[in-house]
Amino acid sequence: MKRIEIIFEESNENEIMMILRQANVEFYTRLHGITGKGQSGEKLNNAVGPGLNSIIVIYADEEETGKIVAGIRRFQDVTERMNRPAATRCAVS
């Protein structure tokens, strides 16, 4: 069993949820309205750092983990090709 944490800009919610549906993820925990600073800048929900992040935590088997990670990598590649910072991170432990 693996623990997967996905941190993403809330504006990317539809894309992240589509990745999870394609990987047949049934169960997850989502934390909304997260602030912080990463490679895409500060997300403070104010004029200095507009926007917010979300975190999704998933416990998955090896196969499901591979599908999720592959989907996130594809999304990161697409956003980088669009000259946008890949404001999505995925950690597996």
Side-chain angles (χ1 to χ4, degrees):
M1 187 68 62
K2 300 286 186 177
R3 176 186 166 114
I4 306 163
E5 292 184 23
I6 306 168
I7 303 171
F8 60 96
E9 289 182 347
E10 287 192 347
S11 61
N12 293 329
E13 174 183 8
N14 290 337
E15 291 85 354
I16 300 303
M17 297 310 294
M18 183 174 54
I19 290 166
L20 298 184
R21 281 191 299 277
Q22 290 172 344
N24 298 316
V25 172
E26 283 189 74
F27 308 110
Y28 59 88
T29 299
R30 181 163 174 197
L31 305 162
H32 296 273
I34 306 298
T35 60
K37 181 178 180 182
Q39 289 181 328
S40 64
E42 290 183 293
K43 302 291 181 240
L44 303 174
N45 199 31
N46 61 24
V48 174
L52 288 168
N53 289 327
S54 283
I55 298 174
I56 292 180
V57 179
I58 304 159
Y59 288 89
D61 62 26
E62 292 287 336
E63 182 180 342
E64 194 175 36
T65 298
K67 290 178 184 178
I68 294 165
V69 170
I72 296 297
R73 284 186 180 144
R74 281 191 304 273
F75 178 68
Q76 290 170 325
D77 290 344
V78 167
T79 56
E80 287 175 1
R81 279 189 299 231
M82 296 169 57
N83 291 323
R84 292 177 40 209
T88 303
R89 293 289 178 253
C90 181
V92 177
S93 57

